[in-house]
Amino acid sequence: MAGRAQIPQKNSALVAMIADEDTIVGFLLAGVGNVDLRRKTNYLIVDSKTTVKQIEDAFKEFTAREDIAVIMISQYVANMIRFLVDSYNKAIPAILEIPSKDHPYDPTHDSILSRVKYLFSAESVASGRR
């Protein structure tokens, strides 16, 4: 199928995480964590000492890696780098904004949800359905 993004055909693809410690620990206990031969992890724990630059660098690194298929990012962290999240337009790795224990999910700030709403409204206008 032309135009579709293809996941590289390797043995596995990773899920990357950028979130608070409690969220990361929960996913690590579920088996999501990975450390490669260069001692690079597939997660970034964001706390009060984490700078926006570190979050930006991790986001850029995770989106550039070919072994990552999904990036889960806490919505409040995504809000810190909203310009990067909103400007990201590739299908893989997919960006998924998730809630955290201390910060509830707000659908008005979710860039993926807003894109989906826009596409469905554009399709309904183009097809004459409303």
Side-chain angles (χ1 to χ4, degrees):
M1 302 220 161
R4 281 201 166 173
Q6 295 293 320
I7 296 176
Q9 297 296 321
K10 295 183 181 179
N11 291 338
S12 64
L14 298 174
V15 174
M17 299 278 307
I18 303 174
D20 60 281
E21 186 175 16
D22 292 339
T23 304
I24 297 286
V25 168
F27 278 93
L28 290 177
L29 290 171
V32 171
N34 183 60
V35 179
D36 67 10
L37 296 174
R38 294 167 292 168
R39 308 287 296 155
K40 293 273 188 177
T41 61
N42 65 328
Y43 58 89
L44 173 69
I45 296 175
V46 177
D47 58 16
S48 60
K49 298 174 189 167
T50 308
T51 64
V52 173
K53 174 85 168 104
Q54 289 172 310
I55 298 168
E56 289 174 7
D57 291 344
F59 183 83
K60 289 175 184 176
E61 176 189 337
F62 293 155
T63 55
R65 285 177 52 176
E66 292 184 9
D67 61 338
I68 293 179
V70 176
I71 299 173
M72 293 180 160
I73 183 168
S74 290
Q75 191 175 48
Y76 83 96
V77 176
N79 288 337
M80 294 181 200
I81 58 167
R82 180 58 60 196
F83 63 96
L84 275 177
V85 175
D86 287 346
S87 65
Y88 183 78
N89 59 5
K90 296 181 183 174
I92 298 172
I95 309 298
L96 179 63
E97 294 183 29
I98 60 173
S100 66
K101 183 174 74 171
D102 298 328
H103 301 87
Y105 175 76
D106 182 4
T108 60
H109 291 157
D110 191 335
S111 61
I112 301 299
L113 185 61
S114 63
R115 288 180 195 175
V116 169
K117 285 181 178 179
Y118 173 77
L119 287 174
F120 277 116
S121 66
E123 284 179 8
S124 63
V125 169
S127 66
R129 289 185 257 164
R130 267 210 122 178

